[in-house]
Amino acid sequence: RLAAVSLGLLSVVLLISIILLLINFNHLTAARDQLQTSYTNLTAEKDQLQTKKAFVEGWRYFSSSVYYISTEKKSWSGSREDCRRKGADLVIINSREEQEFVDSLSVCKDAAVFIGLTDQDTEGIWKWVDGSEPTTLYWMSGQPNNGGWTKQDCVVTGPQLGKRWNDKPCQNLQYWICEKKLKDI
Ligand SMILES: [Ca+2]
Ligand SMILES: [Ca+2]
């Protein structure tokens, strides 16, 4: 009988232990979920602050990048150097939306601006500053013509609507647009 009572007690103790363990586990899971939510919120807040910081410093936000339009004019390589000093590079245009955003910047300036496209390496082979080849081209009619007194290897995008790219001599002095990916800030 004593053995039966002992066994009964032991079962009760075991059962209580298991229940306590389960309660603890649930608490831990809840705490973990809460931490994960906090982390996600903080990351979003950090991205927002970075965007604001860049904006305050004269950069404009679009999609997953920030953009800077110069206040002075330089050659294409001088423009690129300035972008790189800022931890950026000349703008690479990957979509119609991005082209339209770049248009809005050059329209504000009412001037053509250098972008990160060149055929300096091989005449007629256009490459972005990251080495990739453009998928969509927005040449003005009759361009690129590599024309005039000197060869034309560097691309500007004009403030007019429609197709607006033109190849220009790289030593021309132009405004320019830098692009920096938000993840690189
Ligand atoms: Ca050319
Ligand atoms: Ca041209």
Side-chain angles (χ1 to χ4, degrees), residues 130-147:
D130 68 355
S132 63
E133 287 185 33
T135 46
T136 319
L137 300 153
Y138 303 95
W139 296 113
M140 288 166 63
S141 73
Q143 303 296 340
N145 62 351
N146 199 37

Side-chain angles (χ1 to χ4, degrees), residues 3-181:
V5 169
S6 299
L7 204 61
L9 272 176
L10 196 63
S11 302
V12 169
V13 167
L14 267 176
L15 194 65
I16 289 170
S17 302
I18 287 168
I19 288 168
L20 284 176
L21 267 177
L22 278 177
I23 289 171
N24 241 347
F25 181 74
N26 279 341
H27 277 164
L28 278 175
T29 308
R32 188 202 61 194
D33 290 346
Q34 216 169 12
L35 272 175
Q36 245 161 11
T37 309
S38 303
Y39 179 75
T40 309
N41 289 344
L42 276 172
T43 307
E45 220 167 297
K46 191 190 93 198
D47 287 349
Q48 245 175 357
L49 280 172
Q50 277 174 339
T51 309
K52 281 181 194 160
K53 180 169 165 276
F55 193 87
V56 166
E57 288 166 353
W59 294 71
R60 295 288 173 271
Y61 167 77
F62 172 77
S63 189
S64 52
S65 294
V66 285
Y67 300 79
Y68 172 88
I69 185 155
S70 71
T71 52
E72 48 180 338
K73 294 180 176 184
K74 283 184 190 285
S75 68
W76 189 85
S77 60
S79 302
R80 187 166 188 211
E81 265 168 42
D82 177 79
C83 291
R84 297 182 80 141
R85 262 198 305 275
K86 291 172 160 64
D89 209 334
L90 282 170
V91 60
I92 295 174
I93 299 167
N94 302 110
S95 67
R96 169 158 294 278
E97 291 74 23
E98 191 175 15
Q99 175 66 46
E100 282 165 5
F101 173 76
V102 166
D103 290 345
S104 72
L105 295 180
S106 61
V107 167
C108 285
K109 210 79 183 174
D110 196 24
V113 295
F114 273 133
I115 59 174
L117 190 64
T118 179
D119 74 339
Q120 283 177 113
D121 286 350
T122 315
E123 178 57 37
I125 306 290
W126 296 98
K127 280 194 177 156
W128 293 113
V129 284
D130 68 355
S132 63
E133 287 185 33
T135 46
T136 319
L137 300 153
Y138 303 95
W139 296 113
M140 288 166 63
S141 73
Q143 303 296 340
N145 62 351
N146 199 37
W149 301 103
T150 52
K151 67 196 198 99
Q152 304 189 327
D153 290 349
C154 291
V155 179
V156 296
T157 186
Q160 64 276 36
L161 294 175
K163 305 274 183 172
R164 66 268 299 160
W165 289 1
N166 187 0
D167 55 343
K168 292 273 196 184
C170 297
Q171 64 271 26
N172 265 25
L173 300 183
Q174 307 275 351
Y175 296 111
W176 67 91
I177 293 177
C178 306
E179 176 184 5
K180 182 152 57 170
K181 294 269 173 214

